[in-house]
Amino acid sequence: MSHLTTHILDTTLGRPAAGVTIALYGEQADSWQELARGQTNQDGRIPNLLPTDDALPAGTYKMKFFTAEYFARLGTATFYPFVEIVFTISGPEHYHVPLLLNPFGYTTYRGS
């Protein structure tokens, strides 16, 4: 399993959000550098966003979820064209950053 994982659940439909592009960025001084990019599978997950043996160094990171395209495919208006979740990696343990999503709100937490 990758050091960093994510998944998206569309809480309006009660099912995983497939086909959502997610980009991972690392903070570099006062800017962000893209480190990886992928698209959620039918289970709403990206199993290989990072190679299995790559551990991110301690630092600040963000995941950008491109939600506008997902909702456009569903023919659903949305208030949030994208969602950015900023978080801190402090050690070598596994980090899971899930997104619970609907067209007009979202929630996240540190998963396991």
Side-chain angles (χ1 to χ4, degrees):
M1 176 172 28
S2 177
H3 174 71
L4 175 67
T5 57
T6 187
H7 78 271
I8 307 173
L9 178 66
D10 183 328
T11 59
T12 300
L13 300 175
R15 65 179 188 225
V20 178
T21 298
I22 300 172
L24 172 67
Y25 299 87
E27 187 176 37
Q28 305 286 325
D30 290 333
S31 64
W32 294 98
Q33 177 184 359
E34 186 172 320
L35 305 174
R37 183 175 286 250
Q39 194 169 67
T40 57
N41 61 19
Q42 293 297 350
D43 196 30
R45 300 175 186 275
I46 301 177
N48 58 353
L49 184 60
L50 295 171
T52 303
D53 54 351
D54 280 4
L56 293 169
T60 303
Y61 297 87
K62 75 176 173 181
M63 295 181 111
K64 184 173 183 177
F65 298 78
F66 294 88
T67 56
E69 293 87 353
Y70 169 74
F71 286 116
R73 280 194 312 275
L74 296 176
T76 302
T78 183
F79 185 67
Y80 299 103
F82 59 86
V83 173
E84 290 184 329
I85 301 172
V86 179
F87 55 95
T88 302
I89 298 279
S90 59
E93 67 269 16
H94 176 254
Y95 289 83
H96 185 65
V97 183
L99 178 64
L100 306 177
L101 178 66
N102 70 64
F104 300 102
Y106 61 90
T107 302
T108 188
Y109 56 94
R110 174 154 182 207
S112 58

